[in-house]
Amino acid sequence: MKYPGASAAGTVLLILAVALLTSLVTAGATRALTLTDEAGREVRVPDRSERLVSLAPSITEILFAIGAGPRVVGVTQYSNYPLEAARLPKVGSYVNLSLEKILALRPDLVIGIRDGNPKAVIDRLAELGVPCYIVDPTSLDGVVTTVRNIGRAVGREQAAYQIAGQMASRIRDVERRVAGLARPRVFYQIGVEPIVSAGQGTFPNILIDTAGGKNVAADMAAYPQLNVEQVLVARPEIIIVTSMTREYDFERVRGFWGRWPGLPAVAAARIYVVDSDLMDRPSPRIVEGLETLARLIHPQKFK
Amino acid sequence: MRVTPVRIMTTSLLLLGVLAVVCLLSLTTGPAKLRSGAVLAELFGSPGALDAMERTILMRVRLPRVLLGALVGGTLAVGGVVFQALLRNPLAEPFVLGVMGGSAFGAILGILGGWAFFPGVTGVAFAGGILTIALVIGIAGGRTGIHANTLLLSGVIVNAFFSAAIMFLLSVTRNQEIHNVLRWLMGDLSLSTFRELAILAPLVLIGFTLIFASSRSLNLIVMGEETAMHLGVQVERVKKGLLLLVSLVVSAAVALSGIIGFVGLIIPHVLRILVGSDHRLLLPASLLFGAGFLVFCDTVARVATTQTELPVGVITALAGGPFFMYLLRRKRR
C-alpha cells in the first residue's frame, strides 16, 4: 500500500523534527553571544561565564561591585579593593601580564583594559581561544558605560545598570552644584620628588574639571614633571596631594609648600590629601573621588 | 689542547646534551604547575596525560618560548664572538653596531602605530636594525677598508642617537601603547609562536653554517689583519660579509625578542675561558651554551616571583655577572 500523501506529510514532519532537534542542539552548543567590545573587537562571551580573570584593578572593582566577584579567579597586582579581591591569584601587573598565569587559571572570559594591557598579550590570548573583552573608559560617562558593558559581558546586566544609574545621577548632582561657579586653580600633585602632576587625558584632570576646578596642568602631558617655578607661576588656590606619596609624609609636603606663603593655596591653608585609588581608577568608586574633590574645591555647596 | 674534529664533536654533543636538559627543565617549569611526568609523556609519545588547557600551555606557550629563547641566545652569543673577533675589542657585542638603536626605534614606531606584533612590529624592527647597520658600515667603510675603531664609534653614536630619539618619542607620546614599548625594550620571549620560529630558525641555521665556514679566516684575522692577508684571507670581503650576516640574523632575533642584554657580551668570554679561542670550537660551543643560558634565564624569570614575570634581561645580567667574575678570577689564579 502506498499513501503518497502520508509519505509527504511524514517527510515534512521528519524535516521539521530534524530542524527542531538541530536548533535545540546548536542552541545548547553555542550558548554564547557575540559582543563588540570597547576596542571595537568582536568577542564571543559565554552565556554564563564561570571563571573570570580581570586584567586591571579598576575592572576587579567593577566586577565585585556588580556582584560577579565570586566568579573572579584571577586579578592583577594592586587589585586591593575590595579586600576579597586582594587574596586572589595574581597574573602579573596590568602592564606586565603573564600569559601562562592567565591560561593556568582556565578563564572562560578575560576582561582587559585598552590603556595599559599589552596588546600583544591580548592578541595571543584571543588566538589561543580565550575570549577577551576589552574596555576603554576615557571619560566619566565612559566609566558609567564600561560598568554597563561589563555587566552585559558577564551576565550581571541588572546589577550593573543599577550601579551605573546611581553613578550617573551622582555625577549629574555634582555637575549641577558646581555649574556656573568660579573655577579655583587646582594643583594636583602625584609625585613629591620630582613634582609630578596629572594633565591631559587623565582621570584626575577630568575629575578636577567636573568638580568645578581648573587644573593648572590641564594642558600638559599626561603625567608631566614640573619644577617649583612652574607651580609658583600657576598660583594654585588649592593643592591636592595624593596618597601615593604617603610614605613621604603629607606634613612634609605641606611644609615644603609652606615656604612660599605667597601661594594662594598656602595663604588660605587649602592643601589637602586624597586617596589616589579613588582618583585614577575608572571604577564605581571614582564617583566618590569626584565628590571628595568637589567638596574640597567648593565646600560651601556641600554643606 | 689541540682542536680536532673529534674534540669539536664531543664538546658540541656534550653542550647539546646540556641544552636538551635545560630545555626539558624549562618545559616542565612554570606558574601553571604541570606535572613533570605528564609533560614528558606528552612530549615523548603518549599524549593524554594533560588536559586541553595544559596541552595548550605546554605546546603553544612554553614550547615556542623555549625554542625562541634557544635561537635568540645562540644567535646573540655567536654574534658576540664574531664581533669581538672582527673588531678585536673584548667589549664588543652584537648590539654595538647600531642594531639595538635601529631595531628598537623601528619596533617603537610599529608599537605606537598600533600594529600587530607579528609581522608588523617585528617587520619594522628588523628593517630598522638592518638599515642602521648598513648605514654604520657605510660610514665606516672607506677606500682603505673598514676600520674597527671607526666602525665601533659610529655604532656607539648611532645607538646613542636612537636612544635619544626613543626617549623623545616616549616623552611626547600620549599613546596608550606606551606600555608595550617598555615590555619590548626590556626583552620578552613570552609571546612567541611557531609562525615566527619558522622564519628565525632557518635564518639562524644558514647564518651559523656560513659563519662556521669562516672560522679559519676568523682565527687568522684575530692574529692580525696583515698576517691574515699574507696567508691568503680576503680580509675585507670576509669582514664585510660576516658583519652583514651577523647583523641580519641578530636583527631578526632582536625583532622577535626585544633587547636582551649581556648574553652577547658575556657568553663569548665564558666560552673562551672554557674551550679556548679557536673559532672552530668556540663558535659551535657559544651557539649551544648561549642557547642553554638564555633558556635557563628565561625559566628563572618565569618563576622567580609569584606576583609577575621578570624581564629576562634582568636575569641574564644577575645570573651572568657573578658567574663570569668567578671564571675570570679562576683563570687568573
Side-chain angles (χ1 to χ4, degrees):
Chain A
M1 271 201 314
K2 283 188 98 182
Y3 297 98
S7 149
T11 311
V12 169
L13 267 179
L14 189 69
I15 290 172
L16 277 179
V18 168
L20 186 68
L21 267 176
T22 319
S23 71
L24 277 177
V25 168
T26 44
T30 59
R31 284 169 68 85
L33 64 160
T34 303
L35 298 175
T36 304
D37 70 8
E38 296 179 17
R41 305 156 62 251
E42 299 249 304
V43 190
R44 274 174 68 83
V45 302
D47 190 45
R48 183 169 163 87
S49 42
E50 294 298 340
R51 299 185 65 80
L52 297 164
V53 168
S54 150
L55 300 187
S58 59
I59 295 170
T60 308
E61 291 195 17
I62 293 174
L63 287 171
F64 276 84
I66 63 177
R71 290 188 269 148
V72 177
V73 295
V75 298
T76 48
Q77 255 177 317
Y78 313 115
S79 276
N80 52 5
Y81 186 91
L83 214 57
E84 307 96 278
R87 295 193 205 101
L88 289 169
K90 305 282 183 287
V91 296
S93 74
Y94 82 117
V95 293
N96 184 21
L97 299 165
S98 162
L99 182 65
E100 185 173 328
K101 281 182 187 174
I102 297 171
L103 289 172
L105 294 170
R106 299 156 190 279
D108 54 8
L109 180 60
V110 169
I111 312 227
I113 189 160
R114 177 133 183 263
D115 183 11
N117 290 162
K119 186 169 154 24
V121 179
I122 302 296
D123 289 348
R124 277 291 275 150
L125 278 172
E127 213 178 281
L128 294 171
V130 179
C132 298
Y133 188 93
I134 303 301
V135 298
D136 186 24
T138 52
S139 65
L140 270 180
D141 287 330
V143 182
V144 177
T145 309
T146 293
V147 170
R148 285 201 193 101
N149 284 341
I150 290 183
R152 196 172 310 139
V154 304
R156 293 287 302 173
E157 224 160 339
Q158 220 181 344
Y161 274 60
Q162 198 185 342
I163 288 171
Q166 287 162 1
M167 289 171 69
S169 69
R170 283 164 73 184
I171 295 168
R172 297 291 97 81
D173 180 55
V174 169
E175 283 173 344
R176 249 194 315 277
R177 285 174 193 248
V178 304
L181 298 180
R183 290 176 169 266
R185 291 183 299 277
V186 177
F187 176 61
Y188 186 87
Q189 187 173 3
I190 297 171
V192 176
E193 264 171 2
I195 300 169
V196 174
S197 187
Q200 266 180 26
T202 62
F203 275 102
N205 184 47
I206 293 168
L207 290 184
I208 292 167
D209 189 54
T210 315
K214 186 186 180 324
N215 181 11
V216 302
D219 297 327
M220 298 185 188
Y223 293 101
Q225 192 178 317
L226 286 85
N227 55 40
V228 178
E229 202 174 299
Q230 282 169 293
V231 180
L232 294 181
V233 166
R235 295 175 49 80
E237 293 156 85
I238 299 166
I239 295 177
I240 308 271
V241 182
T242 73
S243 56
M244 265 165 106
T245 55
R246 69 171 74 86
E247 68 261 40
Y248 206 81
D249 187 8
F250 174 57
E251 289 310 317
R252 279 181 70 182
V253 183
R254 187 141 65 180
F256 175 82
W257 292 114
R259 283 188 281 164
W260 288 279
L263 266 185
V266 176
R270 294 185 78 181
I271 304 184
Y272 308 107
V273 64
V274 295
D275 180 352
S276 67
D277 289 350
L278 298 180
M279 303 292 164
D280 52 23
R281 281 186 190 180
S283 78
R285 290 200 298 161
I286 202 163
V287 179
E288 278 175 51
L290 174 68
E291 289 166 349
T292 308
L293 279 183
R295 246 180 239 117
L296 294 176
I297 297 171
H298 297 290
Q300 75 285 1
K301 286 282 169 183
F302 291 87
K303 280 191 177 124
Chain B
M1 206 179 359
R2 249 169 55 81
V3 171
T4 60
V6 175
R7 188 167 166 229
I8 296 175
M9 267 326 225
T10 47
T11 310
S12 299
L13 281 177
L14 180 75
L15 287 172
L16 197 63
V18 172
L19 174 62
V21 170
V22 173
C23 286
L24 282 180
L25 178 80
S26 183
L27 285 171
T28 52
T29 317
K33 306 269 179 303
L34 309 185
R35 284 161 297 121
S36 315
V39 168
L40 295 179
E42 187 75 35
L43 287 171
F44 301 109
S46 58
L50 297 174
D51 68 23
M53 183 56 84
E54 289 173 329
R55 200 173 308 125
T56 301
I57 289 175
L58 175 66
M59 303 304 285
R60 296 180 69 185
V61 177
R62 283 190 194 167
L63 189 58
R65 180 174 184 163
V66 165
L67 294 177
L68 181 68
L71 285 174
V72 170
T75 301
L76 294 178
V78 167
V81 169
V82 175
F83 275 22
Q84 284 168 10
L86 290 183
L87 301 171
R88 268 174 292 152
N89 188 318
L91 290 177
E93 38 113 13
F95 298 145
V96 80
L97 294 189
V99 170
M100 177 171 68
S103 32
F105 189 73
I108 284 164
L109 288 184
I111 292 170
L112 294 182
W115 296 355
F117 178 67
F118 183 87
V121 174
T122 48
V124 267
F126 178 67
I130 285 295
L131 288 178
T132 312
I133 196 101
L135 181 78
V136 167
I137 292 177
I139 295 172
R143 229 173 262 270
T144 52
I146 302 172
H147 289 282
N149 285 342
T150 324
L151 202 57
L152 263 176
L153 213 61
S154 357
V156 167
I157 288 165
V158 166
N159 270 338
F161 174 82
F162 277 119
S163 301
I166 289 165
M167 290 314 275
F168 174 76
L169 271 183
L170 294 187
S171 321
V172 297
T173 184
R174 272 192 286 277
N175 195 304
Q176 295 184 331
E177 315 293 342
I178 191 162
H179 308 286
N180 296 340
V181 171
L182 299 180
R183 196 181 169 99
W184 192 91
L185 281 179
M186 289 192 295
D188 181 18
L189 300 167
S190 70
L191 298 172
S192 53
T193 66
F194 286 107
R195 258 182 339 211
E196 293 133 36
L197 289 170
I199 295 175
L200 186 60
L203 241 160
V204 171
L205 289 181
I206 296 168
F208 179 74
T209 312
L210 292 173
I211 293 167
F212 184 67
S214 329
S215 46
R216 267 171 202 285
S217 309
L218 267 179
N219 283 345
L220 296 174
I221 289 174
V222 170
M223 307 216 301
E225 290 184 10
E226 297 242 335
T227 325
M229 222 158 348
H230 289 309
L231 290 170
V233 179
Q234 289 181 295
V235 173
E236 284 310 315
R237 254 187 66 186
V238 172
K239 264 167 75 176
K240 213 170 220 169
L242 282 179
L243 282 174
L244 284 173
L245 187 62
V246 168
S247 308
L248 180 83
V249 186
V250 166
S251 296
V254 166
L256 294 179
S257 68
I259 308 284
I260 297 174
F262 221 70
V263 180
L265 177 67
I266 290 307
I267 299 300
H269 291 296
V270 170
L271 271 299
R272 264 188 216 103
I273 293 171
L274 293 179
V275 304
S277 47
D278 187 321
H279 286 84
R280 286 170 298 167
L281 182 56
L282 181 58
L283 283 169
S286 296
L287 180 81
L288 295 169
F289 195 91
F293 179 72
L294 190 54
V295 172
F296 174 77
C297 289
D298 187 49
T299 311
V300 176
R302 224 180 304 163
V303 293
T305 68
T306 54
Q307 292 267 311
T308 185
E309 278 186 28
L310 295 173
V312 64
V314 172
I315 307 292
T316 54
L318 280 181
F323 177 53
F324 180 58
M325 279 189 265
Y326 161 76
L327 284 178
L328 264 187
R329 184 80 204 138
R330 220 187 54 170
K331 185 188 164 200
R332 285 190 56 202
R333 243 186 270 148

